[in-house]
Amino acid sequence: MAAEYSIKDRIRDIIDGTVDADRKRKESMQGNIDKADHIFQFCLLLFGLGFWVVMILKMFL
C-alpha cells in the first residue's frame, strides 16, 4: 500500500510542477558547489606550492 501512495504522490507532484522546480533549484545549487570546489582546490594548490617553496628555501638557507 505504501508504494501506491508514493506513486500517487509522485504523479501529483509531476502534475503540480513541483518536480521541475526542485530540479532547477538543485541544478543552480550544483553550480555554486562546483564554483566553491574550484576555489577550494586553487587554495589547496596555492598552500601546497607555498609549503614546498618554504621547505626548499629553509633547506638552502
Side-chain angles (χ1 to χ4, degrees), residues 40-53:
F40 174 75
Q41 287 178 356
F42 176 74
C43 291
L44 190 63
L45 177 68
L46 192 63
F47 174 77
L49 289 175
F51 173 79
W52 285 110
V53 167

Side-chain angles (χ1 to χ4, degrees), residues 18-36:
T18 56
V19 174
D20 292 334
D22 288 340
R23 187 178 301 126
K24 288 179 184 177
R25 183 179 55 83
K26 288 179 183 178
E27 287 174 0
S28 68
M29 286 182 4
Q30 186 62 41
N32 291 336
I33 291 170
D34 290 342
K35 186 191 301 184

Side-chain angles (χ1 to χ4, degrees), residues 5-23:
Y5 291 123
S6 65
I7 291 172
K8 288 179 183 178
D9 291 337
R10 178 81 174 150
I11 292 171
R12 186 178 302 121
D13 289 342
I14 291 171
I15 292 171
D16 292 340
T18 56
V19 174
D20 292 334
D22 288 340
R23 187 178 301 126

